[in-house]
């Protein structure tokens, strides 16, 4: 649960079921009192209808917290912090990084490093579409060592160069506007 839209959907479902809560944050809901089995099932079904999942087991919850931490860092930070990811994630979740990394790979089938790269490339795609920053500025903002490094990772993940991706999206925008 990362986006404001997800939080709103959870809040709507809790309100619909008249479940009083104190906070909805980082994949967690703090309820004012214990929830019955029936209410838990109704909540699970309601969240599924909204494309969300109620996570009960501790491993999955920890992995979701790790994912959320990474997404918040990459997509929602005002200024991209110059931090070591393993230290940041470990400190934020208060867990040993090696334990988190092993668990993450076991549960998701990918490494934390791959998950970070995929999210960084998604963020780069957004920044390219905004067309406010040059590729050099994006590279610096996203803490890449060079434009070449960014371009290499971008192509590895998307199959396209950043410049070609930008051209395709601009072309599609023009076509859509011309159809109006």
């Amino acid at each position: 649960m990362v986006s404001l839209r997800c939080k709103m959907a959870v809040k709507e479902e809790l309100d619909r079921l008249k479940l009083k809560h104190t906070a909805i944050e980082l994949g967690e809901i703090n309820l004012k009192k214990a929830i019955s089995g029936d209410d838990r099932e109704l909540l699970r079904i309601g969240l599924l209808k909204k494309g969300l999942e109620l996570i009960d087991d501790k491993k999955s919850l920890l992995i979701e917290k790790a994912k959320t931490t990474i997404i918040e860092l990459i997509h929602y930070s005002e200024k991209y912090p110059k931090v070591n990811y393993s230290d940041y994630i470990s400190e934020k979740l208060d867990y040993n990084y090696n334990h988190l990394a092993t668990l993450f790979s076991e549960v998701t089938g990918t490494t934390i490093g791959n998950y970070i790269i995929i999210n960084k490339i998604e963020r780069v795609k957004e920044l390219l579409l905004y067309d406010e920053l040059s590729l050099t500025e994006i590279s610096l903002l996203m803490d890449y060592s060079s434009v070449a490094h960014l371009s290499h990772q971008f192509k590895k993940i998307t199959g396209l160069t950043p410049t070609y991706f930008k051209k395709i999206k601009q072309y599609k925008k023009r076509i859509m506007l011309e159809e109006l």
Side-chain angles (χ1 to χ4, degrees), residues 93-105:
L93 300 179
D94 196 27
Y95 269 88
N96 174 284
Y97 182 77
N98 290 332
H99 173 71
L100 285 170
T102 302
L103 194 60
F104 194 94
S105 296

Side-chain angles (χ1 to χ4, degrees), residues 36-126:
S36 72
D38 290 343
D39 282 343
R40 177 181 294 279
E41 183 60 16
L42 290 172
L43 179 60
R44 187 188 69 73
I45 292 167
L47 291 174
L48 274 176
K49 287 179 183 174
K50 294 177 187 251
L52 300 171
E53 185 179 356
L54 183 62
I55 300 172
D56 283 331
D57 85 86
K58 294 203 184 288
K59 277 185 184 180
S60 295
L61 184 59
L62 184 57
I63 297 310
E64 285 307 308
K65 284 182 180 182
K67 286 180 176 180
T68 301
T69 299
I70 293 164
I71 290 168
E72 285 178 344
L73 175 65
I74 293 172
H75 293 274
Y76 299 107
S77 294
E78 281 294 317
K79 186 174 183 315
Y80 199 72
K82 307 283 190 236
V83 296
N84 178 307
Y85 291 108
S86 57
D87 292 343
Y88 181 83
I89 295 165
S90 180
E91 184 179 310
K92 191 88 170 166
L93 300 179
D94 196 27
Y95 269 88
N96 174 284
Y97 182 77
N98 290 332
H99 173 71
L100 285 170
T102 302
L103 194 60
F104 194 94
S105 296
E106 183 182 298
V107 172
T108 66
T110 190
T111 65
I112 290 178
N114 268 354
Y115 191 77
I116 289 168
I117 290 168
I118 289 166
N119 276 279
K120 283 179 76 171
I121 295 304
E122 283 304 311
R123 180 72 175 127
V124 169
K125 286 163 63 175
E126 288 174 26

